[in-house]
Amino acid sequence: MADEPSLVPVAAPVDLSLNYNYPPHWEADVVVADGGTVHLRPITPDDADAIVAFHAGLSVRTRYLRYFSAYPTIPPRDLIRFSQVNHRDRVALATWLGSEIIAIGRFEGLPLPGDGPPTPSGTAEVAFVVADAHQGRGIGSVLLEHLAEAAREVGIVRFEALVLAENSKMMRVFLDAGFQPTRHLEGSEVTLDFDIASTALTEKVMAEREQRAESRSIQRLLFPSSVAVIGASADENKIGNLVFENLQRSGFTGPIYPINPRARSINGVLAYPSVADVPGQVDLAVLAIPSEGVGDVVEECSARGVRGLVVISAGFGESGDDQARAQGLLAQRKLVNDARAHGMRVVGPNCLGVINTDPQISLNASLATVAPLRGRAGFFCQSGALGVAVLGEAARRGLGVSTFVSAGNRADVSGNDLLQYWEADQGTDVALLYLESFGNPRKFARLARRFARRKPIVAVKSGRGSVVAGLQHTSVEVPESSVQALFEASGVIRTETLAQLFDVAILLTTQPLPKGDRVAVVGHSTALGVLVADALATSGLPMTRLVDVGVDASAEVFADAVRAALAAEDVDAVVSIFVPPMRRGQEIEAAAQLRKAVAGQDKPVLTTFLGFEGVPQVLAVEGDFAPMRGSIPSYSSPERAVAALAHVMRYARWRRRDAGRVPDIAGIDTDAARLLITTVMAAAPAGRRLTLAESAELLGHYGIHMVPCVSVTGLEAAQAAAVELGWPVALKVPGAVRLHLGDGHDLDEAWRSLHLGPLAAAIIQPMAPRGVDTILEMHDDRSFGSLVTFGVGGVATDLLDDRAYAVVPLTTLDAAELISQPKAFPLLTGYGGAEPADIAALTEVALRLSQLADDLPEVVECALAPMVAAPDGAHVLSASIRVARPASRVDLGARRLRGL
């Protein structure tokens, strides 16, 4: 803790011998518990004055709890310690709101006890303090998590914290973070001591805290108590006019403040020259002004205490020549940085706006030309122009939305943020995403997998293989194979077009999920029934019954056939066909009968009712939402109906299956593996490929044992190695290999056939059992983190890219599916009369490799190739491993906002 206070005036020389360059990724914007944002970065000597000001603003009580004394003024010697840190054994982080520090956290390494020179113990003392006005916002948790992450990077493994016994709030921060501290009470002081390693519990706690914080940050945008439209206009040709009128028409429940320095009123509402002149609180500001004026307005909003910005303005690098794009991107980066630094989230720029149909708020702060219906689908769309069409089409089909966000350039708020909000939102049952690119695919993978276990996600991903113009600096390019692997692993329903997205969304919002894949078809036309049967076969869905009631059947007969199909034990869903020719004028009666037959059922029913798209009024259940649960969706053709059903059935199948678990694997020595990697990286900071011996050692620490091999120089050494290892052996040199060498004569001939000199270098390795060559690889993908791929060796794997993909960490189910997904998998199960390979052994190796990747992010590439899949196990013959600074830690620029 701090030394006794002194009243000596603050003045201290700067120790220039210290290293003040901190790792760039230690600086970040974060979302705190109430949804606001703050900026966090390591302290530098230039922060001395800000530290003094921060300390002066603390209450006597807060200073006493932190320093165990009144500590009215920071003495010079303490200020040196507080402001001069080396970012190694002494680290300090400051949390900023605008130009003011609102919290400080620090740790300092402790030496081993005893005489002699100080030796690092791997333990550091940690402490932090939060300004009184900002206590209770979760900032202490933010600091602790970031301090622990930084400490792990510099080799600290444990924290000690000295806390007054009466400071229960501080002790609760450590406990709530998921750490397991031991407590030592001495008088009025408690020493907390705990391991800071990342565990399943700490990861769970962090994810839950992140979800709550980011959800609240979006809630602040979607539930404002008041809105200011900056650039509101009476001119119908300006977007400020449309935004303001939409807010008025939607019946927004709070005050709307038009901001226009040249107008007295807009649409009969008193206008104000600037947001600073508004007499009441402004929660949300919608900016519809030229881009060159946005910077000044953000500054005014910051000073006014605005909580969120929707920037409809364009001109931020999405168009123009190279110079215009570059200048626009700089302005966009400044916009976001300035907003976050003052606690504001930003939607946009270059966006359509935001909508919330909840009658308690009735917010339409957008350029939408068609008023959206109220529903239970949350919609996120990147494109502003497309968003207008999307909302119009949704209304035409009778699909309502709970909330709608158009992110435009997506400089800040993204689809990931909306998933965090919708997961907890009781008014949203389905998430709909139109994605042109990914800002943070790694985070999307984590959120989507969790979200889809509770609610479906339907996504259209455009721009295959490229990043859309204007999004280069907030996006990463993701290979199509990785995108597909991501969606499949996460349970995301991917559709090819927006039309398909609406088809699926209508079904999900009206009907229950199917409990299986068996489908009954009920209709009055054999020809149409055959079309449905063909579509089902194409989609891989079994048709258990086809009921044709005939052209002249009455509405009651038609409905009875649907009712009977729903009651059948071998039916999980019903596709009904109602199109001409049935008796003219029968539509209303047939619809009423069909509604009665379906009411209360727990199996989905969909129809082709007169070729209608959406939910026709005659098949709709009355209620406050569009559409209501129990309404029967209709499709323009049987093929579209089946396609929508197939998407939903695949999702339901994914959701029914066991999610698997990340297992606790025996026989792993993480400490020894980490020591090996640390030693290599210390000698080669940029990284390098491991030698074969190093690779074998590293894999061995994770229970992956390579077939032994010996590097030799010369034929004589090769002969000796072969005898030691046991015949038969393989002789390997770069670019060539000789197999099944049964004795010294064979080895001698093989040596000569390769034209090897008397002192040539080679590798001798025992022959593995006969089996199928496979390849198991891991690489640290720039966007996803670590990906594991598996393929059966041979030309087909490379030529046809016959590989399976999975995201680390693998669950038991992930690993099993990874091995079984390649089309060549039958070669491992005894195809052609061969003895089946040990699939369980392959699965275990995949799990162990996943654990290695998760524990050691410095291992950026690892290829086990070939790995022979034999009846008696999986035999790794060779491995190629590269270590480096992890690609997954590459700065993603504006997408580095972290929620805690």
Side-chain angles (χ1 to χ4, degrees):
M1 306 306 293
D3 297 331
E4 288 297 314
S6 168
L7 298 181
V8 176
V10 174
V14 174
D15 183 355
L16 298 178
S17 67
L18 292 174
N19 172 21
Y20 297 119
N21 295 321
Y22 55 80
H25 61 274
W26 286 7
E27 183 171 358
D29 296 324
V30 296
V31 186
V32 292
D34 62 1
T37 59
V38 296
H39 185 69
L40 185 147
R41 67 164 172 80
I43 282 175
T44 70
D46 293 338
D47 299 326
D49 289 342
I51 293 172
V52 172
F54 165 71
H55 180 270
L58 298 176
S59 67
V60 174
R61 175 66 175 170
T62 294
R63 287 200 296 267
Y64 168 70
L65 291 176
R66 167 62 179 86
Y67 301 105
F68 300 6
S69 68
Y71 202 60
T73 307
I74 302 177
R77 60 182 177 275
D78 282 354
L79 185 59
I80 291 174
R81 244 177 6 104
F82 292 169
S83 62
Q84 297 183 16
V85 293
N86 59 17
H87 311 301
R88 296 189 300 276
D89 61 315
R90 193 158 81 245
V91 172
L93 304 177
T95 304
W96 298 75
L97 186 61
S99 59
E100 296 182 357
I101 293 178
I102 60 172
I104 294 176
R106 57 185 292 115
F107 68 78
E108 189 159 349
L110 299 174
L112 286 170
D115 299 329
T119 303
S121 63
T123 299
E125 184 179 13
V126 65
F128 47 86
V129 60
V130 180
D132 293 76
H134 296 277
Q135 293 175 9
R137 300 183 65 200
I139 294 174
S141 297
V142 168
L143 282 169
L144 179 59
E145 194 275 334
H146 280 261
L147 287 167
E149 185 174 339
R152 290 193 292 266
E153 288 189 28
V154 298
I156 301 295
V157 297
R158 295 185 70 79
F159 273 167
E160 281 186 7
L162 190 61
V163 183
L164 285 174
E166 62 188 283
N167 195 353
S168 58
K169 289 183 179 179
M170 180 64 70
M171 286 188 278
R172 177 53 57 187
V173 171
F174 295 106
L175 293 171
D176 288 348
F179 296 119
Q180 304 293 317
T182 58
R183 307 186 198 189
H184 307 282
L185 177 62
E186 293 184 13
S188 63
E189 300 175 0
V190 177
T191 298
L192 303 177
D193 179 68
F194 52 94
D195 191 333
I196 60 171
S198 178
T199 65
L201 178 58
T202 58
E203 290 290 329
K204 179 175 181 290
V205 168
M206 188 182 75
E208 290 174 349
R209 191 184 305 125
E210 175 190 64
Q211 194 276 326
R212 290 192 299 269
E214 292 187 354
S215 174
R216 286 169 184 158
S217 77
I218 298 303
Q219 187 176 41
R220 284 158 56 120
L221 291 166
L222 295 174
F223 284 85
S225 61
S226 57
V227 178
V229 180
I230 301 173
S233 173
D235 186 343
E236 295 183 356
N237 295 315
K238 295 187 175 180
I239 61 174
N241 174 267
L242 180 56
V243 174
F244 190 77
E245 287 192 347
N246 278 344
L247 277 165
Q248 289 184 307
R249 291 194 193 105
S250 67
F252 176 60
T253 55
I256 310 170
Y257 301 111
I259 308 298
N260 189 319
R262 292 180 296 276
R264 285 190 169 185
S265 65
I266 306 292
N267 293 0
V269 179
L270 179 65
Y272 299 89
S274 74
V275 71
D277 299 307
V278 174
Q281 171 66 33
V282 176
D283 267 2
L284 180 69
V286 182
L287 279 61
I289 59 175
S291 59
E292 55 267 21
V294 167
D296 291 339
V297 168
V298 171
E299 186 175 337
E300 292 175 359
C301 289
S302 301
R304 190 64 180 77
V306 174
R307 302 174 71 182
L309 303 176
V310 175
V311 184
I312 295 177
S313 313
F316 290 90
E318 66 277 350
S319 61
D321 57 24
D322 290 345
Q323 182 178 359
R325 287 181 183 275
Q327 292 175 343
L329 289 170
L330 287 174
Q332 176 173 284
R333 190 172 296 117
K334 185 177 187 305
L335 156 66
V336 173
N337 289 342
D338 289 349
R340 288 177 178 174
H342 289 86
M344 298 182 289
R345 298 296 306 269
V346 178
V347 177
N350 186 37
C351 71
L352 177 70
V354 299
I355 294 172
N356 183 354
T357 62
D358 187 322
Q360 299 299 315
I361 194 74
S362 296
L363 173 73
N364 183 357
S366 79
L367 301 178
T369 53
V370 177
L373 303 174
R374 185 186 178 203
R376 305 189 70 86
F379 209 128
F380 173 82
C381 181
Q382 284 181 218
S383 168
L386 185 62
V388 175
V390 163
L391 289 175
E393 179 66 7
R396 187 182 73 80
R397 294 204 188 191
L399 176 65
V401 299
S402 58
T403 48
F404 172 88
V405 173
S406 162
N409 291 4
R410 203 197 52 227
D412 181 14
V413 169
S414 71
N416 289 341
D417 296 303
L418 270 298
L419 288 180
Q420 297 279 45
Y421 170 73
W422 288 327
E423 183 177 0
D425 180 33
Q426 297 300 314
T428 301
D429 292 340
V430 181
L432 308 179
L433 308 176
Y434 177 80
L435 304 173
E436 295 173 346
S437 61
F438 287 103
N440 190 336
R442 166 182 282 217
K443 185 172 181 178
F444 177 85
R446 174 170 57 84
L447 296 182
R449 183 179 293 200
R450 186 184 73 204
F451 187 105
R453 285 289 165 190
R454 296 184 53 210
K455 302 176 182 181
I457 301 172
V458 190
V460 174
K461 169 63 175 69
S462 66
R464 292 173 182 258
S466 62
V467 174
V468 176
L471 298 176
Q472 297 94 329
H473 289 260
T474 58
S475 305
V476 290
E477 186 173 341
V478 181
E480 178 60 26
S481 57
S482 295
V483 171
Q484 192 60 33
L486 166 63
F487 283 159
E488 290 177 359
S490 305
V492 175
I493 303 172
R494 183 183 189 181
T495 63
E496 296 299 317
T497 65
L498 278 169
Q500 291 177 356
L501 179 141
F502 286 120
D503 287 347
V504 173
I506 288 286
L507 180 55
L508 287 169
T509 52
T510 56
Q511 295 293 307
L513 290 177
K515 296 181 175 62
D517 296 340
R518 301 164 300 179
V519 182
V521 180
V522 177
H524 55 82
S525 165
T526 301
L528 290 176
V530 170
L531 286 179
V532 176
D534 289 344
L536 288 170
T538 300
S539 299
L541 299 178
M543 183 179 68
T544 55
R545 55 182 64 200
L546 173 60
V547 181
D548 184 357
V549 298
V551 174
D552 295 326
S554 66
E556 291 83 356
V557 169
F558 184 79
D560 285 343
V562 171
R563 190 177 290 108
L566 286 169
E569 293 184 358
D570 63 346
V571 172
D572 299 304
V574 173
V575 178
S576 66
I577 305 170
F578 187 92
V579 294
M582 282 187 82
R583 289 198 300 270
R584 183 170 297 179
Q586 206 176 22
E587 297 86 359
I588 303 298
E589 182 184 359
Q593 292 292 336
L594 187 58
R595 271 205 325 270
K596 289 179 182 179
V598 172
Q601 292 288 338
D602 61 353
K603 298 177 182 179
V605 176
L606 56 164
T607 185
T608 55
F609 190 84
L610 304 176
F612 189 94
E613 291 184 359
V615 178
Q617 185 175 356
V618 291
L619 291 177
V621 174
E622 296 291 333
D624 296 331
F625 297 95
M628 286 292 295
R629 281 278 172 194
S631 299
I632 303 172
S634 178
Y635 299 87
S636 60
S637 69
E639 292 85 355
R640 284 180 62 173
V642 170
L645 180 61
H647 279 299
V648 172
M649 281 187 159
R650 281 191 290 271
Y651 165 69
R653 190 186 312 141
W654 176 88
R655 189 157 145 175
R656 286 194 306 269
R657 75 180 188 181
D658 181 3
R661 60 182 180 83
V662 177
D664 295 324
I665 305 174
I668 291 179
D669 190 343
T670 306
D671 291 340
R674 186 170 285 117
L675 177 61
L676 171 61
I677 297 301
T678 301
T679 303
V680 171
M681 293 295 291
R688 64 171 173 83
R689 289 207 174 271
L690 300 187
T691 66
L692 193 59
E694 290 169 335
S695 296
E697 179 185 350
L698 179 62
L699 292 172
H701 292 319
Y702 277 81
I704 303 172
H705 300 292
M706 286 179 54
V707 175
C709 61
V710 177
S711 296
V712 299
T713 301
L715 177 58
E716 184 176 344
Q719 293 281 6
V723 170
E724 179 182 352
L725 293 171
W727 305 96
V729 298
L731 169 64
K732 300 180 178 181
V733 296
V737 62
R738 294 292 185 267
L739 304 175
H740 304 293
L741 308 178
D743 53 29
H745 177 70
D746 290 347
L747 179 56
D748 183 72
E749 285 194 349
W751 192 274
R752 298 180 190 284
S753 72
L754 294 173
H755 305 289
L756 300 179
L759 296 179
I763 292 174
I764 301 297
Q765 187 174 47
M767 289 299 301
R770 293 186 180 275
V772 179
D773 283 356
T774 64
I775 179 169
L776 184 67
E777 296 178 284
M778 181 280 297
H779 70 277
D780 192 36
D781 187 273
R782 176 173 176 261
S783 52
F784 287 98
S786 296
L787 285 175
V788 177
T789 65
F790 175 75
V792 177
V795 176
T797 297
D798 296 326
L799 183 63
L800 304 178
D801 193 24
D802 184 22
R803 290 180 173 86
Y805 297 79
V807 180
V808 169
L810 301 185
T811 66
T812 49
L813 182 62
D814 293 334
E817 290 190 343
L818 176 75
I819 302 301
S820 62
Q821 280 179 356
K823 295 181 178 63
F825 175 69
L827 293 175
L828 303 175
T829 60
Y831 181 81
E835 192 173 356
D838 187 346
I839 305 300
L842 289 171
T843 303
E844 182 178 349
V845 174
L847 286 170
R848 290 180 178 274
L849 184 61
S850 168
Q851 187 70 56
L852 184 154
D854 209 28
D855 291 343
L856 305 172
E858 294 82 5
V859 178
V860 295
E861 291 179 17
C862 179
L864 309 183
M867 178 172 65
V868 176
D872 65 342
H875 304 272
V876 180
L877 299 184
S878 185
S880 176
I881 299 176
R882 184 170 67 88
V883 297
R885 183 174 181 268
S888 57
R889 294 183 185 175
V890 170
D891 182 7
L892 294 180
R895 298 305 315 142
R896 294 184 61 243
L897 184 72
R898 296 187 59 188
L900 295 168

